[in-house]
């Protein structure tokens, strides 16, 4: 698959029919390691998580985190709760990978995440990026046994899409491009 095609086809998938195979995950993670990094330090570490108990704990922490978010414009607290429950449910049938970096190197981790998201498309899979912050991020780091000096960049979910994939609404091409000054 051409890289431009992968970029065009990449979508956030929330509902999965089934997870990726270990062979697919290894190819996807290997693609992540090909990302650029400052000084070629390659400060990333990847944790494949297949223990259902840990995956359930990750889902519960994401649920608790999202319940704390305030309602958006025109939303109610009930809408926030529904969205949080969906975040928890969307871990089902997915393969999970934690992307970690040396502390302070998360920008490099995000470069790896983009490579991995595009590699998933080439494998015929969907992906979803899950962020944690504050106390919940620390809890995930403890849960996955991160040693001191490392931090969680994000958790990625991969699998066969269980939803209709539609093109997202995009800004008009080049409406975001400026030359020399804003």
């Amino acid at each position: 698959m051409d890289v431009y095609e992968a970029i065009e086809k990449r979508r956030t998938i929330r509902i999965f029919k089934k997870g990726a195979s270990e062979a697919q995950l290894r190819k996807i993670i290997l693609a992540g390691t090909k990302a650029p990094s400052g000084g070629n330090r390659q400060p990333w570490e990847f944790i494949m998580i297949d223990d259902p108990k840990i995956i359930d704990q990750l889902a519960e922490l994401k649920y608790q985190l999202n319940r704390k978010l305030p309602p958006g414009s025109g939303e109610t607290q009930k809408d926030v709760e529904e969205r949080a429950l969906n975040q928890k449910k969307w871990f089902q049938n997915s393969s999970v990978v934690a992307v970690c970096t040396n502390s302070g190197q998360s920008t490099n981790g995000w470069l790896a995440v983009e490579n991995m998201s595009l590699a998933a498309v080439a494998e015929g899979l969907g992906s979803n990026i899950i962020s944690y912050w504050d106390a919940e991020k620390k809890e995930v780091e403890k849960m996955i046994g991160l040693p001191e000096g490392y931090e969680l960049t994000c958790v990625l979910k991969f699998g066969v899409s269980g939803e209709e994939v539609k093109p997202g609404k995009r800004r008009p091409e080049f409406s975001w491009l400026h030359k020399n000054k804003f």
Side-chain angles (χ1 to χ4, degrees), residues 170-181:
R170 309 298 289 176
R171 286 174 55 184
E173 287 184 359
F174 301 103
S175 66
W176 29 254
L177 180 63
H178 310 274
K179 195 168 184 177
N180 296 323
K181 294 184 179 185

Side-chain angles (χ1 to χ4, degrees), residues 136-153:
E136 287 78 4
K137 179 179 175 180
K138 296 291 181 203
E139 184 64 29
V140 171
E141 290 171 342
K142 182 179 172 185
M143 183 188 317
I144 62 175
L146 274 189
E148 191 172 325
Y150 289 89
E151 67 178 307
L152 177 72
T153 301

